Amino acid sequence: MAEVKIDNDQVVLHLTAVEKAEALHGDLRVPRSAVQQVEVLDDAHEMTRIRTGFKIGMRVPGQATVAVVRGGGKKMFIAIHGDTPRGVRIVLDGQSYDEWVVGTADPEGVAAAIKAG
């Protein structure tokens, strides 16, 4: 499962080897100063229900999404699995992605770690 980690002054989204293959993407990294907002999501799958747009990666509606999603004027990276339906939405400024949406067993802990900086 994807993990959000803090590495000095950066927020890093580590993907498993399978997730990298599914999304055709490697780990992502942004400066902590680029984080504009962190939101805890009780149902992270809601963020994947963009009706129009372009998706590159793997998506099984309501079960799992590991993909780059463009829609609604945004470019998002989404990594959510059925066993981690809760997650965080990380809104970014001035980066190649507008948002990351990541499923996690402890979204409150992830949000607190990002905000602590």
Side-chain angles (χ1 to χ4, degrees), residues 19-33:
E19 289 168 331
K20 289 176 182 178
E22 290 170 339
L24 304 172
H25 210 293
D27 292 343
L28 291 93
R29 180 180 294 268
V30 296
R32 190 181 268 183
S33 62

Side-chain angles (χ1 to χ4, degrees), residues 12 16 21 25 35 37 45 56 70 78 84 100 102-103:
V12 182
T16 66
H25 210 293
V35 176
Q37 177 183 353
H45 291 284
I56 298 173
R70 293 177 188 259
I78 299 175
T84 54
W100 295 348
V102 184

Side-chain angles (χ1 to χ4, degrees), residues 24-89:
L24 304 172
H25 210 293
D27 292 343
L28 291 93
R29 180 180 294 268
V30 296
R32 190 181 268 183
S33 62
V35 176
Q36 298 299 300
Q37 177 183 353
V38 181
E39 176 184 357
V40 172
L41 304 171
D42 286 328
D43 182 4
H45 291 284
E46 277 293 317
M47 297 299 296
T48 69
R49 293 186 177 96
I50 296 171
R51 299 285 181 230
T52 60
F54 185 70
K55 299 170 185 82
I56 298 173
M58 182 278 299
R59 181 168 187 248
V60 178
Q63 295 299 314
T65 301
V66 182
V68 175
V69 178
R70 293 177 188 259
K74 296 179 185 175
K75 180 179 175 187
M76 298 180 281
F77 190 87
I78 299 175
I80 307 165
H81 298 279
D83 60 347
T84 54
R86 297 185 73 225
V88 291
R89 175 178 169 245

